[in-house]
Amino acid sequence: MPDYEDFKTIPYGQLGIIALPGCEEFAAKIDNYLVSWRKARDSEHKFTLPFAGYERDTYIIKASFPRFGTGEGKCVINETVRGFDVFILCDAFNYGVEYKMYGRYVPMSPDDHYANLKRAISAIAGKARRITVIMPMLYEGRQHRRSSRESLDCADMLRELCLSLGVDNVITFDAHDARVQNAVPQNGFENVQPVYQMIKAMCKNIPDMSIDKEHMMVISPDEGGMSRCIYFSSVLGLELGMFYKRRDYATIIDGRNPIVAHEFLGDNVEGKDVIIIDDMISSGDSMIEVATKLKELKAKRIFICASFGLFCNGLAAFDKAYADGLISKVFTTNLIYSTPELLSREWYVSVDMSKYCSYIIDTLNHDESVSHLLDPKDRINNILIKYGYKKPEDK
């Protein structure tokens, strides 16, 4: 990572982090990094007025989200946020959080999390100097374009947050389609890719892999994910392949046109390790079908890297795929909720993103550019050199 000890600007405002329900553990990790960095950071200006509140025991602002018996809720912020540079963490897909409604416990839906986000912004009541929403997986991110008479929920969400509620910046990770930012062209929108963290996790957890064109290949499971796969293949120096999804456009099941078949386009994969790259694992059916096709083409080991592991239909299909030798490892980030059952699986690796988020928050709070954080080429080269996959002169 670059040298974050040498900030050239004063903080934009006192730093405050609000963790919505379900984000408490992730926020605590971020907070630990920020507290330790700022205590260790040596500056002659550290105790001057512009740096007031710079070094604290915690940057997490105490907030509660009580519910009435009907399920209606509200947000109560229990300390001042006047003049603060506030970062709100929202995991819209954490169904592990429940609330009580009419005596029954109900898991929180994405709509419930989004409502809590709006409540938090409303409770701030315009007193913060700046509000940044960190929503790792965009609420309704898959509903990003209109193909018939249907709602455009993600664009509506961004417009409501930025134009009506006063949010200055939105930070998300591996957006399903980053062009949704066109809904709010005058506001900050950062689409962060966890490429470096994925490659680092693979280097740590697969000690016997060979990263070269003769032994490894990058595969996109569909045409929509080619851009992220092109980046992976270029920084690793690997060949690229793609599966084309043939859909039945005469049929709609669960709001989508079902996939009829996966057709492979690319070089020979026989005897090669394969990395399948995608933004999310929803049901996982497509991933397993792609892995099955690759095994039929005599691929060696199959590794799956996805930013978000939803596993909407449970883990049984992946357990079977692992037992049958179809997949070797699945890597997803801890940016969204992971069940204890998933974390216990032998085939699963959780990629920690808390340190990276801490760097982003610390840099933005100093109102400095995050361009060096969003372009990880040098860090990827360094990690490949560290684990012996590249020589220094190849850098």
Side-chain angles (χ1 to χ4, degrees):
M1 285 288 182
D3 183 6
Y4 291 97
E5 304 298 320
D6 191 24
F7 286 119
K8 299 294 191 298
T9 58
I10 64 174
Y12 187 83
Q14 288 194 52
L15 175 60
I17 299 172
I18 296 177
L20 298 191
C23 293
E24 296 88 352
E25 183 179 348
F26 191 69
K29 290 182 178 181
I30 291 173
D31 188 50
N32 287 337
Y33 282 117
L34 292 171
V35 168
S36 61
W37 292 343
R38 293 194 169 193
K39 283 185 177 179
R41 192 168 289 152
D42 189 21
S43 170
E44 59 181 311
H45 306 293
K46 196 172 179 179
F47 300 103
T48 60
L49 188 60
F51 280 76
Y54 187 76
E55 184 180 314
R56 304 204 302 272
D57 292 332
T58 182
Y59 298 96
I60 294 178
I61 295 169
K62 295 177 182 177
S64 58
F65 295 82
R67 294 270 178 173
F68 300 101
T70 57
E72 298 166 289
K74 64 179 179 180
C75 173
V76 180
I77 296 177
N78 300 306
E79 53 188 284
T80 183
V81 292
R82 186 178 294 276
F84 274 54
D85 188 12
V86 175
F87 292 79
I88 305 176
L89 299 177
C90 175
D91 176 7
F93 297 86
N94 192 333
Y95 62 94
V97 182
E98 297 180 333
Y99 63 92
K100 206 170 185 179
M101 183 171 69
Y102 291 101
R104 299 180 180 179
Y105 285 96
V106 181
M108 288 187 68
S109 70
D111 291 343
D112 292 320
H113 286 289
Y114 179 50
N116 271 346
L117 173 60
K118 292 191 288 184
R119 291 180 182 117
I121 297 169
S122 177
I124 291 171
K127 301 301 188 296
R129 180 168 295 180
R130 182 171 64 182
I131 298 175
T132 299
V133 170
I134 300 179
M135 186 184 289
M137 186 173 175
L138 275 180
Y139 169 78
E140 295 286 5
R142 285 180 283 182
Q143 185 55 25
H144 61 281
R145 63 183 177 185
R146 179 176 285 145
S147 55
S148 63
R149 288 184 295 276
E150 56 188 10
S151 58
L152 290 175
D153 300 72
C154 190
D156 285 340
M157 178 267 296
L158 291 174
R159 289 178 65 83
E160 183 176 19
L161 289 180
C162 297
L163 304 184
S164 299
L165 297 175
V167 170
D168 297 278
N169 303 297
V170 175
I171 298 174
T172 190
F173 288 77
D174 205 354
H176 192 68
D177 190 333
R179 287 175 294 183
V180 74
Q181 68 185 289
N182 293 335
V184 285
Q186 302 304 318
N187 291 80
F189 183 99
E190 299 294 348
N191 181 36
V192 186
Q193 299 291 338
V195 180
Y196 167 73
Q197 288 76 14
M198 283 289 181
I199 293 174
K200 183 178 180 180
M202 290 184 66
C203 291
K204 291 175 67 175
N205 290 276
I206 313 170
D208 58 339
M209 66 178 179
S210 299
I211 304 180
D212 56 61
K213 292 182 179 180
E214 290 73 33
H215 299 94
M216 184 171 278
M217 193 169 175
V218 173
I219 300 291
S220 175
D222 55 45
E223 61 276 17
M226 279 298 289
S227 59
R228 65 177 64 88
C229 291
I230 289 170
Y231 190 88
F232 259 92
S233 64
S234 62
V235 296
L236 294 176
L238 302 177
E239 295 292 345
L240 177 63
M242 182 192 81
F243 276 88
Y244 167 65
K245 291 180 180 178
R246 283 200 293 116
R247 295 182 180 271
D248 178 7
Y249 287 99
T251 307
I252 297 177
I253 299 176
D254 294 332
R256 297 188 303 171
N257 302 109
I259 298 168
V260 176
H262 288 84
E263 306 290 348
F264 180 65
L265 306 173
D267 289 340
N268 186 14
V269 300
E270 184 174 353
K272 295 181 181 179
D273 288 337
V274 172
I275 309 172
I276 304 174
I277 311 292
D278 209 355
D279 60 333
M280 71 179 75
I281 299 172
S282 183
S283 66
D285 293 342
S286 293
M287 282 289 190
I288 292 173
E289 185 174 344
V290 165
T292 303
K293 293 283 187 182
L294 289 169
K295 280 296 183 179
E296 291 173 359
L297 295 171
K298 300 182 180 180
K300 188 180 176 184
R301 293 179 298 179
I302 296 174
F303 308 109
I304 298 173
C305 292
S307 298
F308 308 111
L310 301 172
F311 299 98
C312 297
N313 293 353
L315 306 175
F318 280 86
D319 289 337
K320 186 177 186 304
Y322 178 68
D324 293 344
L326 286 180
I327 60 173
S328 296
K329 288 287 183 185
V330 177
F331 297 83
T332 70
T333 69
N334 66 338
L335 290 167
I336 63 170
Y337 173 64
S338 299
T339 64
E341 292 77 19
L342 175 63
L343 296 173
S344 69
R345 291 303 197 265
E346 186 178 354
W347 46 263
Y348 178 72
V349 178
S350 178
V351 180
D352 186 16
M353 298 294 294
S354 58
K355 190 173 185 179
Y356 189 31
C357 288
S358 305
Y359 281 130
I360 292 172
I361 290 173
D362 204 14
T363 304
L364 288 176
N365 181 237
H366 277 267
D367 219 20
E368 294 208 345
S369 171
V370 293
S371 298
H372 54 288
L373 284 170
L374 303 181
D375 185 3
K377 291 193 302 289
D378 291 338
R379 282 174 282 140
I380 290 171
N381 274 312
N382 290 336
I383 203 71
L384 293 176
I385 291 169
K386 177 182 176 180
Y387 284 91
Y389 295 112
K390 270 191 177 183
K391 295 179 181 178
E393 57 267 24
D394 296 333
K395 182 177 178 181

